[in-house]
Amino acid sequence: MRFPFLLAAGLTLTSFLMVPASLQAQRVKSTPFSYLPERADDRYNQRVTSKALALSTGGFVILAHKSATEYAVERYDADLKRLWSTTLPLAAGESVDAFARSANQATVVLHSAGAAQQLSAYTFELTNGQKSPAKKLIEAGPRERRLAASFSPDGTKLVAWRYLTRDEQIRAISATVYDEKLQKLKDRTYDFHDQGGFFSTTVQVGNDGSQFVTLVSDGMKKLTARRYRNDSPEVKVMSVSVGGTFGGKEVNVFDSRFALQPDNTLYAAAICNERETGLYYSLKLVKFDFSAEGDMKFAPEVKFTSDYLAEVNKATGATAKRVEDVYLTDLLLTDEKQVVVIGEKKYEEGGDESPGHTRELHLFGYNEFQTPTWHRIIAKDQVAPAAEGFSSISYRAALFGPEVQVVTWEKIKNKSDLYIRRVNAQNGTVQEPKGLGLNVASDQNPSYVKDFTTWLDPKTIIGVSRPSKKSAALMLNKIVIK
């Protein structure tokens, strides 16, 4: 990124050093856990990345892959006691597409392929695990683009949609919005005939049922958000160009991430690169606020300069000639409206059966006025066999107040373990990695499943791991941080 980043007031270059860790962690409970690794067609983009969801009333609910033809939804209390387990059989051609929970139930969406495509959903009562009959959400032809669905932040609304195409180009989206009990709220069609030839789009739904259609359009140069309400025909549109021609170089959106907040504020981050060379150009952040008359805030861009590349190489000990293979993975918002954007370097060695690698994390901090105030590079080096894709490596992050907690599975100083780092969202200070004391096995068998890593509170982490090479079984662990 190509000019020096802004530093928070009072920070010097020495502030980039990690501060000593003061926390202690202890595994207080473990119980055997059954899990079959997923086999996804697209290992970069798992459809269900969180299979353990904390509950506000205590404990958590899990979506467990038991066999090739069966999942189970299970509820545990905070002491890892399983309160109930309800099986979810899969027929031929079925796969899990989405998993969410509200205050009252968990919901699983299944995708079926065959003579036709279909999305169907089941609900599970949190009190006793009672499963509802299957509810068909939407269907499409077998050769159409894959059906999709997404949940509101609180899990009480669901939108399912199909892409309407002509000559393989998206022309519209046909969607249906459902409430928590899978009762239909609204049928909608989102029209894209004005969008030209090349763009990407998806749909998000708010806690109130409003839909937010997000687009990267105009030759992959523009970020757009459209809001559709269920009680009004009005469509609110906000759009901003993040690409274009700068200094004679054509710049496009390489990767983007949209994050809808509970108050229906939508944040978007985009990594832009030079079209001709593929060189990373800058990171851009946009806030779409649909309250009142609507307001859009475009943050100053953060450029990927030669100085930034030098920082990456210094942090990682590498000699890379360019920033590459970095994808946006998280967009976090604190209660004080500070933003932390996280990108991660991930790639495969080559071929479908090659190991997956995830390397350094790139963190960017913005203050409440959306001014970029700090950035950090967190070095890590993780490798997983092809059979596990990226489900056992990479990281999990959670935000508590002004602190981001990051958990990784790594081998540091020849010790394979889960490690936690704490990042101050206000100034970017990073604590040294601290082992959680699980002594995770390091071999070619399943050792850690990050999809089941979750936080019950700032000091309690749930994780699934295999404690040693001699052990064949995975364990569900409760770790308390002191």
Side-chain angles (χ1 to χ4, degrees):
M1 308 177 167
R2 284 171 210 164
F3 68 59
F5 277 48
L6 298 173
L7 295 178
L11 287 181
T12 65
L13 289 179
T14 58
S15 301
F16 282 80
L17 300 176
M18 292 183 176
V19 299
S22 58
L23 63 84
Q24 294 181 329
Q26 179 182 2
R27 177 172 54 185
V28 298
K29 186 84 173 179
S30 294
T31 188
F33 187 77
S34 173
Y35 170 74
L36 179 70
E38 307 284 356
R39 295 289 295 185
D41 294 333
D42 184 356
R43 289 175 289 179
Y44 276 97
N45 299 296
Q46 295 172 264
R47 295 198 173 274
V48 182
T49 57
S50 296
K51 298 185 178 73
L53 306 176
L55 302 174
S56 59
T57 54
F60 54 100
V61 62
I62 270 180
L63 175 67
H65 194 185
K66 297 294 188 179
S67 71
T69 60
E70 183 180 290
Y71 281 77
V73 177
E74 302 177 334
R75 180 174 178 176
Y76 290 80
D77 67 13
D79 292 320
L80 306 190
K81 179 183 178 181
R82 191 166 66 184
L83 303 178
W84 51 258
S85 177
T86 304
T87 60
L88 179 61
L90 263 62
E94 283 189 327
S95 60
V96 173
D97 198 83
F99 175 53
R101 63 98 182 126
S102 65
N104 302 307
Q105 67 186 37
T107 305
V108 179
V109 176
L110 299 183
H111 177 271
S112 62
Q117 288 189 73
Q118 181 175 293
L119 288 184
S120 56
Y122 294 87
T123 65
F124 300 78
E125 295 293 334
L126 291 180
T127 53
N128 56 18
Q130 182 176 345
K131 182 176 66 176
S132 71
K135 169 73 174 184
K136 184 174 75 173
L137 303 176
I138 200 166
E139 61 182 355
R143 296 186 179 181
E144 294 186 32
R145 293 193 181 214
R146 184 182 171 114
L147 297 167
S150 66
F151 286 92
S152 62
D154 66 0
T156 64
K157 304 296 186 298
L158 168 64
V159 60
W161 69 91
R162 60 181 291 201
Y163 296 95
L164 306 178
T165 62
R166 182 184 303 141
D167 300 326
E168 298 185 357
Q169 179 61 49
I170 299 173
R171 297 301 181 189
I173 285 178
S174 177
T176 303
V177 185
Y178 295 90
D179 68 10
E180 184 176 21
K181 297 303 180 183
L182 304 181
Q183 298 298 309
K184 182 188 296 188
L185 296 177
K186 192 77 173 180
D187 287 321
R188 297 301 296 254
T189 298
Y190 317 119
D191 191 284
F192 305 121
H193 284 80
D194 61 336
Q195 289 302 307
F198 185 60
F199 63 94
S200 66
T201 183
T202 191
V203 184
Q204 299 189 55
V205 61
N207 293 342
D208 64 352
S210 297
Q211 305 104 65
F212 298 84
V213 178
T214 59
L215 300 105
V216 184
S217 59
D218 192 21
M220 303 303 285
K221 294 181 176 66
K222 183 180 292 184
L223 300 180
T224 300
R226 301 178 178 180
R227 184 195 65 187
Y228 298 78
R229 292 174 52 173
N230 293 332
D231 59 355
S232 170
E234 178 195 14
V235 181
K236 182 71 176 179
V237 181
M238 285 189 272
S239 185
V240 61
S241 292
V242 296
T245 302
F246 307 103
K249 299 175 181 178
E250 187 175 356
V251 174
N252 297 336
V253 174
F254 166 73
D255 189 32
S256 61
R257 190 172 191 88
F258 293 85
L260 180 64
Q261 306 302 312
D263 65 355
N264 284 351
T265 301
L266 184 69
Y267 286 81
I271 292 176
C272 297
N273 66 357
E274 298 175 15
R275 179 175 182 177
E276 184 174 344
T277 64
L279 289 172
Y280 281 34
Y281 184 79
S282 67
L283 173 69
K284 306 201 178 185
L285 179 72
V286 184
K287 174 185 176 182
F288 301 99
D289 185 353
F290 286 91
S291 62
E293 297 300 316
D295 180 50
M296 184 173 63
K297 175 75 173 179
F298 187 33
E301 68 179 347
V302 176
K303 288 190 175 180
F304 295 111
T305 64
S306 57
D307 289 340
Y308 185 83
L309 175 61
E311 274 187 39
V312 175
N313 284 333
K314 182 178 180 181
T316 62
T319 56
K321 303 298 184 184
R322 57 196 284 173
V323 178
E324 59 185 352
D325 296 321
V326 177
Y327 298 86
L328 296 172
T329 47
D330 266 310
L331 198 162
L332 307 172
L333 181 69
T334 72
D335 293 339
E336 287 73 33
K337 306 303 181 182
Q338 292 133 357
V339 178
V340 178
V341 176
I342 304 178
E344 180 183 44
K345 182 172 184 176
K346 59 181 181 178
Y347 60 92
E348 295 173 331
E349 290 180 1
D352 292 339
E353 299 305 318
S354 62
H357 294 255
T358 61
R359 304 279 184 168
E360 73 272 4
L361 296 177
H362 299 243
L363 283 74
F364 306 88
Y366 298 77
N367 65 19
E368 62 271 30
F369 306 109
Q370 287 183 254
T371 300
T373 51
W374 59 265
H375 71 276
R376 298 292 180 270
I377 309 299
I378 296 180
K380 63 182 180 68
D381 184 1
Q382 301 171 281
V383 184
E388 294 186 59
F390 293 98
S391 63
S392 65
I393 55 174
S394 188
Y395 73 97
R396 303 297 287 179
L399 180 65
F400 297 99
E403 179 182 87
V404 180
Q405 295 187 23
V406 179
V407 168
T408 59
W409 170 38
E410 298 177 74
K411 182 178 284 188
I412 299 178
K413 296 181 180 178
N414 209 35
K415 182 179 180 182
S416 176
D417 202 351
L418 294 191
Y419 289 87
I420 188 169
R421 295 170 174 87
R422 287 173 161 174
V423 182
N424 187 309
Q426 296 175 330
N427 58 30
T429 302
V430 183
Q431 290 188 343
E432 291 181 352
K434 175 67 177 179
L436 297 185
L438 296 182
N439 300 317
V440 180
S442 180
D443 54 26
Q444 293 299 302
N445 296 315
S447 298
Y448 164 61
V449 192
K450 70 177 176 62
D451 303 353
F452 294 101
T453 303
T454 192
W455 282 256
L456 300 188
D457 57 56
K459 297 184 179 296
T460 309
I461 297 175
I462 302 297
V464 169
S465 66
R466 186 163 57 90
S468 70
K469 294 181 180 180
K470 295 180 181 179
S471 171
L474 292 167
M475 304 295 289
L476 178 63
N477 307 294
K478 177 181 178 181
I479 306 107
V480 173
I481 303 168
K482 301 178 181 178

